């Protein structure tokens, strides 16, 4: 059974959760935060002002002074300034909402949840602000460049059952992709099965030797928008990072406008940061279907993208 996470001792602010900092060694609260690489952009004065405003707390919610003693691996929490972000000019459409879940049709370029330079321009923060509900939490994730159906929970009490649906592979997922027509020697439909690993610091996942941990079913479902392209139906049997993108590229059919596979394309990857959203990755999470863990009723949601 998964370990239950402790609640965050600071409430979300404008839809954004407080930042968790884990000290590497025993010392003072100030030194612990000063050593955190994620806070390198904060000056000493700015950091001290967080303490003065009561915005640095321990795991028990106790407000900390700069000289307070802290232990290694015992998390501290604080609010951070939001980065300046390029606005994503696409709506986050709500497909379904009830007391337990919200299902959205996520646009391309919008990350699922805050990470690095993407905070306010994420599906989670946008949805919290739209609904005025900081209890909203993702039950699973989609890559920032992938559009489509994304499910969030609305109450902490129901979060685990929905997350376990995805963790245990109990959700039917269907994707659509635009890519070059299949090579003559390739017979479709087919299943790709291999081992994928992704290491920290490497932008791309890679196929390596070892037991199979990634399976995808691939078929042609229609003609592409222009000559030489086709529309593919993709069914991930497993859920490894970048699995569908890597499997399509390995068959000689890289998804149109993929900035990572088969080769890294820095010029394409940089376009959204410069405000150019004209070349999205042509991959959409088209459909989710599952038996609801609370009611047992069949649920199905389809993207309109």
């Amino acid at each position: 059974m998964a370990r239950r996470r402790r609640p965050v001792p600071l409430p979300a602010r404008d839809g954004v959760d407080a930042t968790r900092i884990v000290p590497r060694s025993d010392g003072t609260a100030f030194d612990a935060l000063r050593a955190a690489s994620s806070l390198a952009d904060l000056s000493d004065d700015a950091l001290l002002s967080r303490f003065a405003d009561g915005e640095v707390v321990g795991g028990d919610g106790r407000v900390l002074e700069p000289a307070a003693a802290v232990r290694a691996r015992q998390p501290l929490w604080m609010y951070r300034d939001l980065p300046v972000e390029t606005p994503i000019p696409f709506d986050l459409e709500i497909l379904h909402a009830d007391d337990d879940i919200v299902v959205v049709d996520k646009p391309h370029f919008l990350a699922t949840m805050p990470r690095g330079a993407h905070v306010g321009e994420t599906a989670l923060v946008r949805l919290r602000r739209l609904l005025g509900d900081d209890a909203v939490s993702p039950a699973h994730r989609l890559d920032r460049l992938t559009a489509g159906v994304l499910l969030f929970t609305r109450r902490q009490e129901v979060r685990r059952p929905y997350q376990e649906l995805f963790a245990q592979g109990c959700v039917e997922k269907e994707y659509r992709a635009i890519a070059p027509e299949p090579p003559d020697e390739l017979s479709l439909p087919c299943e790709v099965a291999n081992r994928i690993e992704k290491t920290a610091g490497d932008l791309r996942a890679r196929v390596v030797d070892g037991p199979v941990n990634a399976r995808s079913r691939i078929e042609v479902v229609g003609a592409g928008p222009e000559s030489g392209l086709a529309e593919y139906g993709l069914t991930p049997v497993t859920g490894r990072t970048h699995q569908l993108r890597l499997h399509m590229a390995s068959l000689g059919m890289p998804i149109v406008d993929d900035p990572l596979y088969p080769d890294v394309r820095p010029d394409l990857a940089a376009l959204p940061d410069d405000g150019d959203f004209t070349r999205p990755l042509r991959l959409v999470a088209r459909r989710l279907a599952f038996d609801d863990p609370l009611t047992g009723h069949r649920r199905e949601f389809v993207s309109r993208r």
Side-chain angles (χ1 to χ4, degrees), residues 87-92 107-110 121 126 277-278 280 305:
I88 309 299
F90 307 113
D91 291 335
L92 182 70
H108 295 284
F109 305 110
L110 196 69
E121 288 298 312
R126 275 201 190 182
F277 301 97
T278 60
R305 299 186 187 278

Side-chain angles (χ1 to χ4, degrees), residues 11 47 111 134 168 193 204 240 242 280:
L47 191 53
D134 289 334
Q168 296 172 2
R204 301 196 299 169
R240 309 301 297 184
H242 296 177

Side-chain angles (χ1 to χ4, degrees), residues 98 128 167 196 217-218 258 270-271 275:
D98 58 37
R128 283 179 171 180
I196 291 177
R217 299 190 186 104
I218 298 171
D258 191 329
L271 292 180

Side-chain angles (χ1 to χ4, degrees), residues 174-212:
E174 295 180 9
Y175 287 70
R176 290 290 186 268
I178 302 297
E181 293 177 341
D184 292 340
E185 66 273 16
L186 179 65
S187 177
L188 293 178
C190 73
E191 180 176 286
V192 180
N194 50 31
R195 183 171 187 82
I196 291 177
E197 292 183 359
K198 188 175 186 301
T199 58
D202 191 344
L203 293 176
R204 301 196 299 169
R206 300 182 184 278
V207 174
V208 299
D209 293 334
V212 170

Side-chain angles (χ1 to χ4, degrees), residues 34-45:
R34 186 69 291 165
S37 59
S38 61
L39 302 180
D41 58 327
L42 281 181
S43 67
D44 287 355
D45 288 343

